[in-house]
Amino acid sequence: MKIGLISTLGAPWAGSEELWAAMAEAALSQGHELVLGVYGWPEVPPRIGAFEAQGVPVLRRSFPGGRRQDRLWRRVRPPLSQFFAHRPDVICISQGEVYTSVIRDEFLAQLYRSKLPYVVVCQLNQEAFGLPESLQGAAAQFLGRAERVVFVAEANRRLAERQLARSLPNAQVLRNPVNLAETGPLALPEDGLVKLVSVARLQVADKGQDLLLAALSDPLWQGRDWQLDFYGQGPDWAYLNRLAAFYGLTGRVEFRGQVTDIRSLWAAHHLLVLPSRNEGTPLSLVEAMLCGRPAVVSAVGGNPEWIEEGRSGWIAPAPQPEAVGAALERAWQGRESWPQFGLNAYQDALARYDPQPGHTLLKVLVEAARS
């Protein structure tokens, strides 16, 4: 079977790509063929380079935005007509957000003309997003014609149905992969310094790191013994550095960059804090839980599906500094419960996560090709 993959991610790589990449690796291991359609960023992500090195055709197109004005984007890149010429048996469309393919409208006409079965993977939906009336019909058509619409959080699926005012009987929830070779609760660090950590792309519009810094700037936290580490990269690194200095938190906040050894990270930290404004289901949350760590999260996307207030963590009802601060305060006052909360988090995550989500998505695609 030949599987076509179209990614709509507006960046070279992000956690949203891990699911389709895991599916692609599973497909190759089972003897299936692949063809990839991605944006031709000047920087080639290592995972895409690895697929190309294995002989997978990678068809690159120009990003429909300002980056095309960059010197490296001036060369016109072909649209996805070459992709459809490969005639895959089934197409997987991986979207960062539910309506990206409809808003950009790069390939829908070709997709419908091809009459090929397709599966849509939606990594994010936003409560604050309003789909224009002019695009509602196109969105309903795009999702309705899919063999399956995969969401990574039940809340994202329910939100899409509310936004479209119609049910999606072809929808299902599928878990994202985690970057862990093994799972199991890790002992909490025993020194007196409480080490908070935020593991996420440095992009405040989605991940809300600015809300966390605002919450920690409260005088209540000045006399407490804590440190905050940010892990991740992204466009708001410089802004968050300035904001930490503005709030007088320089020296208590560190930016650690990317990390690959997740269990070593959690061996050195106590509590995950994710005050996100928008989410699907963050990989870092599931990874933290599988390492036996509680979390403070905002009530967006799939976060409340994984964290239970008073059992495995603390939930800010809204992505606002006051709500995040109140959830952090509840966590701080309950520090003696962190070991038990971490154990609860591990047990809950172990019961929910999919150890082989790439194979699960591949099964969905095989079934779609046979329909």
Side-chain angles (χ1 to χ4, degrees):
M1 185 178 75
K2 183 184 292 186
I3 300 170
L5 184 286
I6 297 174
S7 171
T8 69
L9 178 69
W13 195 261
S16 62
E17 308 304 275
E18 296 296 335
L19 180 55
W20 75 252
M23 176 279 295
E25 290 168 352
L28 290 175
S29 72
Q30 295 183 22
H32 298 293
E33 296 181 69
L34 289 173
V35 55
L36 305 183
V38 300
Y39 292 124
W41 302 100
E43 169 193 349
V44 178
R47 297 290 290 279
I48 291 179
F51 286 126
E52 206 162 18
Q54 295 178 71
V56 174
V58 178
L59 307 178
R60 296 175 170 86
R61 66 195 189 279
S62 295
F63 183 71
R67 285 288 298 272
R68 279 194 302 181
Q69 306 307 313
D70 188 277
R71 178 177 58 84
L72 294 171
W73 280 89
R74 288 176 185 166
R75 181 166 61 87
V76 176
R77 299 178 186 274
L80 281 170
S81 55
Q82 292 181 340
F83 175 90
F84 289 96
H86 279 258
R87 296 297 301 177
D89 297 294
V90 64
I91 296 174
C92 178
I93 302 168
S94 178
Q95 304 187 118
E97 300 186 27
V98 177
Y99 307 111
T100 303
S101 296
V102 174
I103 293 170
R104 293 183 188 159
D105 194 18
E106 300 175 272
F107 56 81
L108 294 189
Q110 296 175 82
L111 177 67
Y112 298 153
R113 282 198 303 269
S114 75
K115 301 187 183 303
L116 295 170
Y118 65 92
V119 171
V120 181
V121 177
C122 306
Q123 287 282 347
L124 175 68
N125 199 358
Q126 299 185 44
E127 184 69 46
F129 181 76
L131 190 65
E133 185 70 25
S134 59
L135 293 179
Q136 295 249 345
Q141 180 186 31
F142 172 60
L143 297 178
R145 291 178 64 159
E147 294 296 326
R148 302 298 291 175
V149 181
V150 171
F151 293 89
V152 298
E154 173 63 18
N156 287 175
R157 183 197 66 79
R158 292 196 304 267
L159 176 57
E161 290 189 332
R162 171 154 54 88
Q163 290 166 333
L164 295 172
R166 66 185 68 202
S167 63
L168 294 172
N170 58 343
Q172 71 179 87
V173 175
L174 198 156
R175 306 303 186 190
N176 269 321
V178 296
N179 182 26
L180 292 171
E182 60 177 307
T183 64
L186 295 165
L188 288 167
E190 295 183 356
D191 56 32
L193 181 67
V194 173
K195 299 192 73 175
L196 313 174
V197 64
S198 177
V199 185
R201 182 176 66 259
L202 300 181
Q203 189 165 11
V204 299
D206 287 331
K207 300 302 182 179
Q209 293 95 339
D210 57 323
L211 306 177
L212 176 54
L213 292 176
L216 290 172
S217 71
D218 190 287
L220 191 66
W221 290 87
Q222 290 181 3
R224 294 172 174 173
D225 198 11
W226 60 269
Q227 176 181 318
L228 169 65
D229 289 334
F230 284 116
Y231 283 86
Q233 297 175 337
D236 290 333
W237 176 86
Y239 163 66
L240 288 168
N241 270 272
R242 294 196 307 273
L243 189 62
F246 172 75
Y247 283 134
L249 299 177
T250 301
R252 307 189 80 173
V253 175
E254 299 289 342
F255 293 83
R256 306 291 188 181
Q258 292 290 98
V259 64
T260 56
D261 189 345
I262 300 299
R263 285 184 67 80
S264 291
L265 181 158
W266 282 115
H269 292 86
H270 296 85
L271 181 71
L272 175 69
V273 189
L274 287 178
S276 311
R277 289 183 168 95
N278 303 294
E279 279 295 356
T281 295
L283 308 184
S284 59
L285 174 59
V286 181
E287 291 167 352
M289 296 175 72
L290 289 170
C291 290
R293 292 296 182 266
V296 172
V297 299
S298 52
V300 299
N303 288 346
E305 297 167 28
W306 288 83
I307 289 296
E308 181 180 344
E309 174 83 29
R311 172 178 166 80
S312 54
W314 299 265
I315 301 176
Q320 298 171 343
E322 296 77 13
V324 173
L328 272 172
E329 182 64 18
R330 296 196 300 276
W332 183 268
Q333 296 302 330
R335 295 191 303 285
E336 73 285 348
S337 66
W338 289 5
Q340 183 59 53
F341 273 41
L343 181 59
N344 295 342
Y346 167 71
Q347 293 170 341
D348 292 351
L350 195 64
R352 294 188 184 115
Y353 98 113
D354 183 346
Q356 292 188 309
H359 289 268
T360 304
L361 179 57
L362 176 60
K363 181 180 178 181
V364 171
L365 291 168
V366 171
E367 292 173 351
R370 292 172 178 167
S371 61

